[in-house]
C-alpha cells in the first residue's frame, strides 16, 4: 500500500498481510535511510498476531526515512517508510533546503484519491485514508511566520501575546481532517484518553505536541488568560508500574503471537463449555509398527514417529463419527458439520504457541500425511508458518508427551469442536493376556465443545482413537 506525498516521495503503508489483521510489530529493518531499494526487495520483517512476514517494497528508489523503530507496533494503513522515486531519488541522498515557493502550497495539484478499499500485498486492506499531507514549510508567508514566532516567544517569556491581532493558536482541525501528530504524541493521547480531533495544535504547520495533549486534560478553571503554557500543570501521567528488583524479576511485554494466543484461549475457555475425557491405552503394537515403517523404503526421508499414527487414528475416528468434525455458528444458531478435516498440530515456537493445520488431511495416504506433518513441523520451528496455514482448522492434536507429562486438559482452538492431547509413552506394568507385563502405555485426553458434542459422541471418538492405537490393524479393517 503506497501513498504519493509529492512528486518524488512515496509513503509505503503497513499492509493488511492477510486474515483481516489490524496491526503488526516491526521486528527488523533490512534497510536504512539513504539505501537504494528495488521493486520486490524485502525492506522489513513484521510479526502479526499469527506469524512473522517479510514485506517487499513495490517500487525502485532511495529510502528517505524509516518512520518507526524496530519493536514498534503499527496499525494497518499507517506509513512506515518513505522512499524517494524518480528525480527525487537523487535528491534523497543529498538533502537541500527548499526555497520559498512562488505559489501557495494549496494551489498544487493533488493526486486523485481512489475510491473504496485499495489492494494490498495480500487481499484488500483498509479504506483509503482521508489524511492530507502537510503543507510545505517554505510555502508559508515569512512575515506571518515571524509574527507568530515573536508572539509565541513573548508568551513563553510570560508577557502574554505580543500582538492581539495575531492569533497565537491555530484553529482546531476540522472533522474531515486527520489530526497531525507524531507517533509518541499519539501514544500519549491514547494513554491519557484524549481524542486528538479535539486538541488545539500549537506546533508548526498545525502539529499537535505533547504539551497540547497535556493541556487538553489539564483543569481549565483558575487558569489566567495570559498564563504561559509552562504554567499549566500537566495531567498526571499513567501510574508507573510498581518498582521491582530486576535481578529477581523479568517483565516481558505481551504482544504478537503470545497476545493473540492469550486472547484466543480466554475467549475459547469462556465461550465454549469444555468437557474433557481421559483414557489410558496400551500402545505397544503401535510402537512396533512405527519401527517397521522406519525401515520401509516408501518412508525413506519422511518423518515417522508415534504422532503420525496418532493423527491417522484420529482421522479414522472422525470418519466413523463425522458429527464431531463441526463448529458452532452463534449468529445463525446452527451446527456446521465439516466434510473435510483440516488437522491442526499445536507447535511451540520461540514466539509462542501456534496451531498450523494440514488441509484436507482425511484425503491423504499415510506416506502423504507423513510428508505433510514433517513440512508443518519444520516450517513452524523455522518461524516461516504463514497466516493462511493457521486458518480453517477443524480439530487439533497437542502432543504434551514430548515434555514428559502424562496428559492435560487442553483448551479448544477457537472455532473448533475437539482437541486431542497425547501424553508421554512410558514403559509400565500392564495386564496383557492375563499376565502383568511391561508394556508401552500412554494417556489420551479429548476436550470437546459440549454445545455440539455430547458425552456419547465424545466418548465414541476417544474410544475409537484408543482402539486403533491398541490394535493398529484397525487402520485397515476400519478404512
Amino acid at each position: 500500500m503506497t501513498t504519493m506525498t509529492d512528486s518524488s516521495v512515496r509513503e509505503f503503508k503497513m499492509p493488511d498481510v492477510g486474515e483481516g489483521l489490524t496491526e503488526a510489530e516491526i521486528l527488523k529493518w533490512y534497510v536504512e535511510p539513504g539505501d537504494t531499494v528495488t521493486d520486490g526487495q524485502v525492506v522489513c520483517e513484521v510479526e502479526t498476531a499469527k506469524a512473522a512476514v517479510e514485506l517487499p517494497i513495490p517500487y525502485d528508489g532511495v529510502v528517505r526515512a524509516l518512520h518507526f523503530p524496530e519493536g514498534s507496533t503499527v496499525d494497518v494503513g499507517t506509513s512506515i517508510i518513505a522512499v524517494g522515486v524518480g528525480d527525487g531519488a537523487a535528491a534523497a541522498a543529498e538533502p537541500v533546503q527548499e526555497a520559498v515557493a512562488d505559489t501557495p502550497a494549496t494551489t498544487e495539484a493533488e493526486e486523485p484519491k481512489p475510491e473504496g478499499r485499495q489492494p494490498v500485498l495480500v487481499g484488500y486492506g483498509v479504506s483509503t485514508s482521508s489524511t492530507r499531507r502537510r503543507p510545505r514549510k517554505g510555502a508559508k508567508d515569512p512575515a506571518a511566520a515571524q509574527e507568530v514566532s515573536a508572539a509565541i516567544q513573548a508568551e513563553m517569556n510570560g508577557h502574554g501575546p505580543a500582538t492581539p491581532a495575531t492569533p497565537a493558536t491555530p484553529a482546531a482541525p476540522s472533522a474531515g481532517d486527520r489530526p497531525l501528530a507524531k507517533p509518541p504524541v499519539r501514544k500519549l493521547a491514547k494513554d491519557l484518553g484524549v481524542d486528538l480531533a479535539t486538541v488545539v495544535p500549537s506546533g508548526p504547520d498545525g502539529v499537535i505536541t505533547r504539551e497540547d495533549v497535556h493541556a487538553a486534560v489539564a483543569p481549565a478553571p483558575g487558569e489566567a488568560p495570559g498564563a504561559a503554557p509552562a504554567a499549566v500543570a500537566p495531567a498526571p501521567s499513567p501510574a508507573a508500574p510498581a518498582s521491582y528488583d530486576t535481578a529477581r524479576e523479568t517483565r516481558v511485554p505481551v504482544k504478537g503471537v503470545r497476545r493473540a494466543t492469550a486472547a484466543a484461549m480466554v475467549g475459547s475457555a469462556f465461550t465454549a463449555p469444555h468437557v474433557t475425557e481421559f483414557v489410558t491405552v496400551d500402545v505397544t503394537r503401535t510402537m512396533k509398527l512405527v519401527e517397521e515403517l522406519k525401515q520401509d523404503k516408501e518412508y525413506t526421508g519422511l518423518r515417522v514417529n508415534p504422532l503420525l499414527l496418532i493423527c491417522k487414528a484420529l482421522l479414522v475416528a472422525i470418519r466413523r463419527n463425522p458429527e464431531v468434525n463441526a463448529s458452532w455458528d452463534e449468529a445463525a444458531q446452527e451446527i456446521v458439520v465439516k466434510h473435510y478435516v483440516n488437522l491442526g498440530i499445536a507447535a511451540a515456537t520461540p514466539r509462542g504457541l501456534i496451531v498450523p493445520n494440514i488441509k484436507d488431511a482425511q484425503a491423504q495416504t499415510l506416506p502423504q500425511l507423513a510428508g505433510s506433518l514433517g513440512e508443518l513441523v519444520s516450517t513452524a520451528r523455522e518461524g516461516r508458518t504463514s497466516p493462511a496455514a493457521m486458518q480453517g482448522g477443524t480439530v487439533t492434536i497437542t502432543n504434551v508427551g514430548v515434555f514428559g507429562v502424562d496428559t492435560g486438559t487442553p483448551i479448544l482452538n477457537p472455532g473448533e469442536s475437539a482437541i486431542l492431547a497425547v501424553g508421554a509413552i512410558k514403559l509400565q506394568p500392564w495386564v496383557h493376556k492375563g499376565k502383568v507385563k511391561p508394556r508401552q502405555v500412554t494417556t489420551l485426553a479429548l476436550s470437546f465443545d459440549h454445545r455440539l458434542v455430547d458425552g456419547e459422541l465424545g466418548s465414541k471418538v476417544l474410544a475409537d482413537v484408543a482402539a486403533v492405537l491398541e490394535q493398529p490393524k484397525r487402520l485397515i479393517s476400519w478404512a
Side-chain angles (χ1 to χ4, degrees), residues 211-232:
E211 290 74 20
D212 297 333
V213 175
H214 284 305
V217 296
E223 184 180 33
V232 179

Side-chain angles (χ1 to χ4, degrees), residues 14-24 46-56 76 120-125 386-388:
M14 178 68 74
D16 177 359
V17 294
E19 306 299 337
L21 300 173
T22 59
E23 64 181 18
V46 301
E47 182 184 40
T48 68
K50 300 190 178 297
V53 181
E54 292 182 332
L55 298 183
V76 168
V120 293
L121 291 182
V122 181
Y124 283 76
S386 67

Side-chain angles (χ1 to χ4, degrees), residues 279-336:
V279 64
T280 302
V281 58
D282 176 5
V283 294
T284 304
R285 291 185 177 91
T286 290
M287 298 303 291
K288 290 181 180 179
L289 179 57
V290 169
E291 294 304 317
E292 293 175 4
L293 292 177
K294 288 181 178 179
Q295 307 303 320
D296 193 321
K297 293 181 179 180
E298 190 175 0
Y299 293 87
T300 301
L302 297 177
R303 182 187 297 269
V304 178
N305 53 26
L307 181 59
L308 172 62
L309 295 183
I310 293 169
C311 290
K312 196 64 177 179
L314 179 57
L315 292 171
V316 170
I318 292 173
R319 185 168 65 246
R320 288 168 54 85
N321 305 275
E323 296 85 0
V324 76
N325 188 45
S327 63
W328 182 271
D329 188 335
E330 181 67 28
Q333 286 295 293
E334 294 175 341
I335 295 175
V336 184

Side-chain angles (χ1 to χ4, degrees), residues 92-452:
E94 186 178 350
V96 179
Q97 181 67 32
E98 290 188 1
V100 177
D102 294 333
T103 57
T106 54
T107 62
E108 294 181 359
E110 296 184 356
E111 181 181 354
K113 298 180 180 179
E115 297 291 337
R117 292 164 65 84
Q118 300 181 34
V120 293
L121 291 182
V122 181
Y124 283 76
V126 296
S127 299
T128 306
S129 172
S130 61
T131 305
R132 299 183 300 183
R133 70 178 182 87
R134 303 175 186 175
R136 296 182 179 177
K137 294 182 179 180
K140 296 192 301 183
D141 181 6
Q146 186 174 3
E147 292 178 6
V148 173
S149 176
I152 294 176
Q153 183 62 45
E155 190 170 351
M156 292 179 65
N157 292 337
H159 304 306
T163 55
T166 303
T169 306
S174 63
D177 291 342
R178 183 171 183 263
L180 299 178
K182 295 181 179 179
V185 178
R186 293 185 182 278
K187 184 178 185 304
L188 174 64
K190 182 178 180 181
D191 293 340
L192 298 180
V194 175
D195 183 1
L196 287 177
T198 65
V199 177
V200 178
S202 66
D205 300 329
V207 176
I208 296 173
T209 65
R210 296 178 65 89
E211 290 74 20
D212 297 333
V213 175
H214 284 305
V217 296
E223 184 180 33
V232 179
S237 301
S243 59
Y244 64 97
D245 187 352
T246 56
R248 294 166 61 85
E249 295 179 6
T250 300
R251 293 179 178 266
V252 181
V254 179
K255 55 186 178 180
V257 173
R258 180 73 63 185
R259 183 173 65 178
T261 300
M265 292 299 96
V266 170
S268 176
F270 292 98
T271 300
H274 284 54
V275 172
T276 305
E277 295 185 340
F278 306 88
V279 64
T280 302
V281 58
D282 176 5
V283 294
T284 304
R285 291 185 177 91
T286 290
M287 298 303 291
K288 290 181 180 179
L289 179 57
V290 169
E291 294 304 317
E292 293 175 4
L293 292 177
K294 288 181 178 179
Q295 307 303 320
D296 193 321
K297 293 181 179 180
E298 190 175 0
Y299 293 87
T300 301
L302 297 177
R303 182 187 297 269
V304 178
N305 53 26
L307 181 59
L308 172 62
L309 295 183
I310 293 169
C311 290
K312 196 64 177 179
L314 179 57
L315 292 171
V316 170
I318 292 173
R319 185 168 65 246
R320 288 168 54 85
N321 305 275
E323 296 85 0
V324 76
N325 188 45
S327 63
W328 182 271
D329 188 335
E330 181 67 28
Q333 286 295 293
E334 294 175 341
I335 295 175
V336 184
V337 179
K338 311 294 178 62
H339 303 299
Y340 58 90
V341 181
N342 290 345
L343 181 59
I345 305 295
T349 72
R351 293 192 178 96
L353 177 69
I354 62 174
V355 188
N357 59 75
I358 301 172
K359 310 297 184 186
D360 294 312
Q362 83 288 346
Q364 298 189 10
T365 63
L366 194 60
Q368 290 172 339
L369 191 61
S372 298
L373 190 60
E375 182 180 0
L376 180 148
V377 172
S378 61
T379 300
R381 287 177 177 173
E382 295 169 5
R384 297 186 294 105
T385 303
S386 67
M390 293 182 280
Q391 295 299 308
T394 59
V395 294
T396 293
I397 294 178
T398 177
N399 185 10
V400 297
V402 296
F403 305 109
V405 300
D406 292 333
T407 190
T409 55
I411 297 177
L412 293 168
N413 204 29
E416 299 182 9
S417 60
I419 179 171
L420 177 70
V422 182
I425 299 175
K426 300 178 180 179
L427 195 65
Q428 296 182 16
W430 193 263
V431 177
H432 178 66
K433 296 181 179 180
K435 297 182 180 179
V436 178
K437 297 182 179 181
R439 304 286 288 180
Q440 298 280 0
V441 177
T442 190
T443 300
L444 307 175
L446 182 72
S447 291
F448 50 86
D449 186 343
H450 213 359
R451 294 176 299 178
L452 57 138

